[in-house]
Amino acid sequence: KQEVTQIPAALSVPEGENLVLNCSFTDSAIYNLQWFRQDPGKGLTSLLLIQSSQREQTSGRLNASLDKSSGRSTLYIAASQPGDSATYLCAVRGTGTASKLTFGTGTRLQVTL
Amino acid sequence: SAVISQKPSRDICQRGTSLTIQCQVDSQVTMMFWYRQQPGQSLTLIATANQGSEATYESGFVIDKFPISRPNLTFSTLTVSNMSPEDSSIYLCSGRQGGNEQFFGPGTRLTVL
């Protein structure tokens, strides 16, 4: 059974800092990995999708890497802003087109002024 | 990616009653899912909504408690039946087209008194 862990559970940084969020998973046989953002009481916004054959994806100030063999992914946020404050969720999808996402417990990020 | 809308966005219900949540996608999708997110927790998959047939439920979730319909490729409903305070959660609809990214609706915040 796939298990996804995110460290740290919570993080507070001053505005402008670069930061890294970590995600690890126990079964390396994945189809893809997605990073999401969730604002309090809201749904999920997809940030980045990395297919199993890819090493990284970038979107603006966000960069996600994937090391499938070691079961690890990182989300790098450059020049953090108060608007980046949210919970960040990592989710991995098993192999097969009908397979489901397994979510991590999330990292709650606060960017202070 | 496609856009998902959910109705209602929130509701307060009395124990023992039922609530039906509607999910509408603005384009056809292969897969639709229903998730639950209890306070302070990550997402748990309730079931995969199958077009024209019975949903596929995850361990711990049963059709009598969470009946699901999916009459076409863009619409699904989830009913939370005979509610108790333990059913107070955010319920999220999600869609996916083939091997692509999975996207989520804004969620329905349910409070059961």
Side-chain angles (χ1 to χ4, degrees):
Chain A
K1 178 186 171 185
Q2 180 74 271
E3 293 183 1
V4 182
T5 304
Q6 291 186 245
I7 294 173
L11 180 64
S12 180
V13 301
E15 181 180 16
E17 274 205 6
N18 303 324
L19 58 103
V20 174
L21 308 181
N22 297 291
C23 171
S24 61
F25 47 95
T26 55
D27 184 352
S28 62
I30 67 170
Y31 189 83
N32 59 37
L33 182 146
Q34 246 178 296
W35 282 94
F36 294 90
R37 167 188 173 137
Q38 185 176 31
D39 293 288
K42 305 293 186 183
L44 276 65
T45 300
S46 179
L47 298 174
L48 289 164
L49 169 71
I50 308 179
Q51 301 292 354
S52 63
S53 59
Q54 297 175 321
R55 297 283 292 181
E56 65 179 303
Q57 282 288 326
T58 298
S59 175
R61 293 183 294 108
L62 306 179
N63 176 277
S65 68
L66 174 64
D67 184 343
K68 196 174 67 168
S69 62
S70 68
R72 299 165 72 90
S73 176
T74 62
L75 178 66
Y76 175 82
I77 302 177
S80 58
Q81 303 170 358
D84 294 330
S85 299
T87 296
Y88 291 80
L89 293 160
C90 162
V92 298
R93 185 174 148 196
T95 54
T97 55
S99 60
K100 57 193 178 187
L101 287 180
T102 301
F103 280 85
T105 49
T107 294
R108 189 170 66 253
L109 171 66
Q110 183 174 10
V111 181
T112 57
L113 291 170
Chain B
S1 60
V3 176
I4 296 181
S5 58
Q6 287 184 232
K7 288 194 295 187
S9 59
R10 60 175 59 223
D11 207 341
I12 300 173
C13 301
Q14 297 298 319
R15 71 170 65 211
T17 62
S18 298
L19 175 71
T20 296
I21 303 168
Q22 297 181 3
C23 174
Q24 179 74 56
V25 190
D26 68 349
S27 61
Q28 294 184 345
V29 291
T30 308
M31 310 289 289
M32 291 184 75
F33 308 89
W34 287 97
Y35 289 80
R36 180 173 75 181
Q37 186 176 32
Q38 295 180 303
Q41 305 293 315
S42 191
L43 278 73
T44 301
L45 180 63
I46 297 171
T48 302
N50 300 310
Q51 186 206 356
S53 64
E54 189 173 292
T56 304
Y57 290 85
E58 297 299 305
S59 176
F61 298 95
V62 295
I63 187 171
D64 289 347
K65 176 67 176 178
F66 297 101
I68 288 171
S69 76
R70 189 181 174 191
N72 56 50
L73 292 176
T74 63
F75 185 79
S76 178
T77 66
L78 168 74
T79 298
V80 186
S81 303
N82 188 25
M83 288 183 286
S84 67
E86 292 71 34
D87 295 320
S88 297
S89 293
I90 298 175
Y91 291 85
L92 295 129
C93 176
S94 177
R96 188 172 79 211
Q97 180 59 34
N100 296 329
E101 71 177 331
Q102 194 161 325
F103 45 91
F104 285 77
T108 296
R109 180 183 289 274
L110 171 62
T111 302
V112 184
L113 302 177

